[in-house]
Amino acid sequence: FGRAVAEERARVAREIHDGLAQYLFAVSTHASMLEAGADPKEMLPRLKEAALAAQQEARYAILALSSAAGRSPFDAALRRYVDFLTADGALEVELDIDSAITLGPDEQIELFRIVQEGLANARKHAGAKRAWVTIGERAGERYVAVRDDGAGFVPGDTGAGQGLRNMRERAASIGGALTLRSTPGAGTALEVVLRT
């Protein structure tokens, strides 16, 4: 029980660090720059953008944590996240979730964050217009796939960075394996195959 509590605390800390804390740091940095005499016309839009991103990230974190705590079904939480993400029409996301798939609480939160990271990358970095998320079973194995029609990249380039490492660590923490395929100009596909 003690180990389970410690693991949950570490997971919650990672949720806050990977999301909300980053945006709150940006808010603080922009406010400090204003205090130091930076041009308000330049800094206020940045400050507002960081504050709105922090607010949205707090919503995402609440959805993820309530899903993992069993207070909200995983598929409903994921659909609400996609609704938030696509509200401005910049990205269209198609969800295909097999209702027969059972996910444990630890799997739910880590997969939620992997999907979130994959879709955020598709939107922010790849310039994708469409993305597809599939949660299903194939050959007796449960899997989660996220693919997009964005710019793609050359796997192995340093640009993939921390986000990809975080997704790999999250997959490994639930006994899963993450694979990624991307081709410049032809989009990106990532898949997590879960332990049986």
Side-chain angles (χ1 to χ4, degrees):
F1 178 76
R3 185 170 63 245
V5 169
E7 288 172 358
E8 184 61 20
R9 285 179 177 164
R11 188 163 33 250
V12 170
R14 189 168 61 226
E15 294 302 313
I16 293 169
H17 176 270
D18 287 355
L20 185 58
Q22 302 299 319
Y23 294 114
L24 291 176
F25 176 76
V27 168
S28 175
T29 299
H30 296 324
S32 295
M33 292 172 74
L34 279 170
E35 286 179 334
D39 182 1
K41 288 183 181 178
E42 181 182 335
M43 295 310 301
L44 284 175
R46 292 183 185 178
L47 180 60
K48 184 176 180 180
E49 181 182 350
L52 288 173
Q55 184 181 29
Q56 187 174 46
E57 180 59 33
R59 288 185 186 129
Y60 295 160
I62 290 166
L63 289 174
L65 293 171
S66 66
S67 172
R71 291 190 299 272
S72 174
F74 176 76
D75 59 342
L78 190 56
R79 288 180 200 286
R80 284 198 306 272
Y81 164 73
V82 167
D83 288 345
F84 280 125
L85 185 70
T86 60
D88 64 0
L91 178 68
E92 180 182 332
V93 177
E94 184 178 318
L95 285 176
D96 181 11
I97 303 172
D98 182 344
S99 60
I101 298 298
T102 302
L103 298 171
D106 57 339
E107 293 172 329
Q108 289 180 21
I109 194 150
E110 299 300 351
L111 291 174
F112 188 101
R113 281 305 198 183
I114 290 169
V115 170
Q116 180 184 7
E117 180 78 19
L119 291 176
N121 288 342
R123 181 184 163 110
K124 292 180 196 173
H125 306 301
K129 300 297 180 197
R130 297 195 69 200
W132 299 264
V133 177
T134 305
I135 301 174
E137 187 173 344
R138 177 181 56 229
E141 293 181 319
R142 296 170 301 148
Y143 73 95
V144 176
V146 180
R147 62 186 179 89
D148 66 63
D149 66 355
F153 62 94
V154 177
D157 277 1
T158 55
Q162 188 62 41
L164 181 57
R165 281 193 292 277
N166 287 346
M167 287 191 285
R168 289 192 192 286
E169 288 174 9
R170 288 180 183 281
S173 76
I174 53 174
L178 184 141
T179 57
L180 182 131
R181 294 183 321 277
S182 188
T183 305
T188 300
L190 67 87
E191 182 174 280
V192 177
V193 176
L194 297 168
R195 64 175 184 253
T196 53

